[in-house]
Amino acid sequence: MSGCGHDPAPPPAKDGKTRVAILISGAGSNMAALLEAAKAADYPAEIAVVISNNPEAAGLELARRAGIEALAIDHRPFGKVRHDHELALDAAMRLRGVEVVVLAGYMRILTAHLVRAWEGRMLNIHPSLLPNYPGLDTHARAIAAGDAEAGCTVHLVTEGVDEGPVLGQARVPIEPGDTAETLAARVRTAEHKLYPEALAAFIEQRKTAPV
Ligand code: GRF
């Protein structure tokens, strides 16, 4: 439990779809790919809400233009009290009947409270072939190591950063002359295909074996 008190009755899911929250901090290109996929009648997720800790995140406006509720829950007024910010996030998600949380470029390290509250129901996408290159600067590190390929990983979120069970990966080649930017763009394209597929597979699997 999150410790946020009594949960009101959530809105009913549409057509048996799983209600998903997407958490972002920036551009929201993965979010946009997920919103696009979720337009399909047979996609198993309904995007219930998009939330950003950064009120300036470009993704918020993108989501609103797509007709999705988009909230800014700024972390800054909470100062160093990370847990209080997370309680606000948690409450907003529960109020909207969210069942699965998708981190898509959400640039805050989560505390154990929120991770445990959503254990087995929170996904992240990371721009490397985990367990290689957890953390930041993944593309520069892969190029510096002389790797032949790079990629991205969708995984369940656990208390260790970028450590949770892998749900799916996509690989791309590292080309001669690649910079961190050119490689990031290639990986990003792969992310936009992988994330909607991995989320759909996760939801289908969860229906047959609920966590
Ligand atoms: C992606 O590279 C993702 O792997 C990482 O953050 C970035 C988010 O990009 N976790 P965007 O906001 O989805 O464009």
Side-chain angles (χ1 to χ4, degrees):
M1 253 319 285
S2 63
C4 66
H6 175 72
D7 294 333
K14 272 188 218 153
D15 309 328
K17 292 186 181 223
T18 295
R19 290 175 68 78
V20 167
I22 305 178
L23 270 48
I24 63 169
S25 296
S29 70
N30 279 285
M31 174 210 75
L34 289 158
L35 295 188
E36 190 57 36
K39 285 182 185 166
D42 62 350
Y43 195 75
E46 174 194 351
I47 309 306
V49 65
V50 170
I51 306 177
S52 176
N53 65 302
N54 168 17
E56 310 302 322
L60 286 174
E61 193 46 39
L62 264 182
R64 287 183 191 123
R65 280 210 298 270
I68 304 293
E69 186 186 13
L71 303 175
I73 303 182
D74 194 343
H75 63 276
R76 288 168 299 189
F78 294 89
K80 291 195 190 319
V81 193
R82 236 170 237 276
H83 181 48
D84 286 355
H85 176 247
E86 291 183 349
L87 285 179
L89 271 183
D90 186 88
M93 295 193 290
R94 290 181 192 275
L95 191 63
R96 289 160 180 82
V98 167
E99 297 158 277
V100 169
V101 181
V102 168
L103 306 182
Y106 187 67
M107 300 302 286
R108 300 280 296 166
I109 304 253
L110 303 177
T111 73
H113 298 284
L114 196 73
V115 172
R116 286 189 198 139
W118 292 91
E119 192 175 1
R121 299 187 294 147
M122 183 184 275
L123 281 61
N124 183 41
I125 190 160
H126 182 75
S128 79
L129 295 169
L130 290 172
N132 296 339
Y133 312 121
L136 299 175
D137 299 325
T138 55
H139 307 303
R141 287 154 70 200
I143 292 169
D147 293 354
E149 59 179 11
C152 47
T153 303
V154 174
H155 64 95
L156 283 172
V157 175
T158 55
E159 287 178 44
V161 176
D162 302 328
E163 276 183 10
V166 170
L167 299 176
Q169 289 189 312
R171 293 167 183 274
V172 301
I174 298 182
E175 309 281 6
D178 259 343
T179 61
E181 288 71 31
T182 59
L183 180 56
R186 194 174 307 119
V187 170
R188 196 69 55 90
T189 302
E191 291 183 7
H192 298 163
K193 184 166 182 295
L194 176 68
Y195 217 173
E197 288 175 359
L199 175 63
F202 171 75
I203 288 173
E204 298 296 0
Q205 176 274 334
R206 194 173 164 262
K207 280 183 189 158
T208 52
V211 179

